[in-house]
Amino acid sequence: MEEALRIGTLVGGGDAVRVIPQIVKHGFESFSLTFWQTTGETNLAETAARVRELAAEHHFVISAVGVFGNPLTGKGDNADTLASWERLIDHAHLFGTDIVNGFTGRLTDCSIDESIPKFAEVFGELSRRAADKGVRIAFENCSMGGNWQTGDWNIAHNPTAWEKMFNAVPADNLGLEWEPCHQMVALIDPIPQLRKWTDKVFHVHGKDATIAWDIVKEYGIHGPKEYVWHRTPGFGDTNWTDVISILRQAGYKGTIDIEGWHDPVYRDELEMTGQVHALNYLKTCRGGSFVPNPR
């Protein structure tokens, strides 16, 4: 198993001890634990201890822990986001992972260019804190409805922004939590992008997209009809065999963790049906289970 690129899923950090025992039996090999804006009242050390017990029993790994909010503003519901980043960096080793993930944040309603100095200030310090603890920081490539000119959450959704970010903070432990879906929403071809950026891909989300090119060609992307849908892997347009081949050719040693709860078809009572299909599909795309060579 150590030699296999593991396939897992995302679980809320505060729900991990309750949820993981219910779903690990389906064959998930890793779990990425996520918090929204704050780690809140969760006792991270206690949660880590209980999750590590489950991991030993069921032979999975915790691939990453993360908080998804805006650490650059510190306002409103994001007041604890920066402190949560610090807590997760400090506690990551207790979960057995070296990756903390999330959004970069941005200056609200300002451009990516205007947000870069604050990003450099905040993540320059966080990258040093993380490096001292052997931790890598991975930014999800999600726009959260923003664009180059304005937004509320994240600047790490465009390759030009990545260049600016990594030039502003040239730290080896800053990288990406990449998925094809968010690039396809922007009509970017994810495959050549992945080939170019593999050395900065620390973690991969298993989320795909379906693009309705007939709608794009007739109505464009600003018309009344939806032109793209987030999909669970196995139901979208991406060739995940190519994705996994590119990752393995580049020496990627991480996991692919399914980000569910977005598919417009496999949702509600069909959520876990879709996720388990994606789990088995992605295992097939990697070549199945690991088979050792003869000695």
Side-chain angles (χ1 to χ4, degrees):
M1 177 61 69
E2 283 69 27
E3 293 84 351
L5 188 154
R6 290 175 181 254
I7 310 297
T9 191
L10 274 61
V11 173
D15 295 328
V17 174
R18 175 179 63 85
V19 172
I20 288 175
Q22 298 180 61
I23 65 174
V24 68
K25 61 186 178 183
H26 298 307
F28 294 105
E29 301 164 343
S30 59
F31 294 96
S32 176
L33 307 187
T34 65
F35 294 89
W36 184 252
Q37 294 181 295
T38 176
T39 58
E41 301 301 316
T42 302
N43 184 317
L44 295 176
E46 179 182 321
T47 299
R50 296 184 68 184
V51 167
R52 290 295 289 275
E53 290 175 359
L54 290 169
E57 178 182 355
H58 296 287
H59 309 292
F60 65 81
V61 299
I62 297 299
S63 55
V65 291
V67 59
F68 294 79
N70 188 340
L72 302 193
T73 63
K75 296 179 180 178
D77 291 340
N78 294 301
D80 190 56
T81 302
L82 178 55
S84 294
W85 269 96
E86 294 171 345
R87 281 185 217 111
L88 290 175
I89 288 169
D90 293 348
H91 287 81
H93 70 284
L94 298 180
F95 290 89
T97 184
D98 70 340
I99 295 178
V100 177
N101 51 17
F103 301 144
T104 61
R106 67 185 294 166
L107 299 184
T108 305
D109 295 329
C110 294
S111 71
I112 288 177
D113 290 299
E114 292 172 304
S115 297
I116 289 292
K118 185 66 175 178
F119 164 83
E121 174 189 335
V122 170
F123 280 96
E125 182 61 34
L126 286 178
S127 68
R128 289 187 288 272
R129 186 188 194 106
D132 288 343
K133 299 179 182 301
V135 168
R136 295 178 291 164
I137 290 173
F139 300 115
E140 187 179 2
N141 59 340
C142 177
S143 70
M144 290 296 292
N147 54 38
W148 193 274
Q149 288 75 31
T150 186
D152 296 323
W153 297 95
N154 192 30
I155 64 176
H157 55 82
N158 182 279
T160 301
W162 303 341
E163 292 175 358
K164 289 178 177 289
M165 289 158 43
F166 298 138
N167 286 336
V169 186
D172 291 341
N173 66 331
L174 286 192
L176 299 172
E177 180 175 70
W178 185 88
E179 67 179 63
C181 172
H182 294 307
Q183 301 309 282
M184 296 166 72
V185 168
L187 303 185
I188 295 172
D189 186 342
I191 296 300
Q193 179 185 90
L194 180 60
R195 290 190 200 279
K196 182 175 181 179
W197 285 92
T198 45
D199 63 333
K200 278 293 190 180
V201 173
F202 294 168
H203 187 228
V204 176
H205 272 174
K207 185 144 66 72
D208 204 344
T210 296
I211 301 173
W213 286 107
D214 55 327
I215 292 175
V216 173
K217 291 173 182 177
E218 184 172 358
Y219 298 97
I221 63 173
H222 300 299
K225 294 181 178 289
E226 288 188 75
Y227 70 94
V228 64
W229 298 268
H230 293 207
R231 302 303 305 271
T232 307
F235 302 110
D237 294 346
T238 299
N239 184 328
W240 285 89
T241 300
D242 283 353
V243 169
I244 290 173
S245 294
I246 293 167
L247 290 170
R248 280 185 152 163
Q249 285 174 325
Y252 179 73
K253 301 298 184 184
T255 65
I256 298 176
D257 292 308
I258 297 160
E259 183 181 355
W261 310 101
H262 288 79
D263 196 293
V265 178
Y266 292 87
R267 60 186 301 173
D268 301 325
E269 70 275 8
L270 292 178
E271 175 63 37
M272 289 312 299
T273 299
Q275 285 210 33
V276 173
H277 172 81
L279 171 68
N280 294 324
Y281 167 75
L282 290 172
K283 287 181 178 180
T284 299
C285 290
R286 77 174 178 199
S289 299
F290 174 73
V291 179
N293 295 327
R295 295 184 181 276

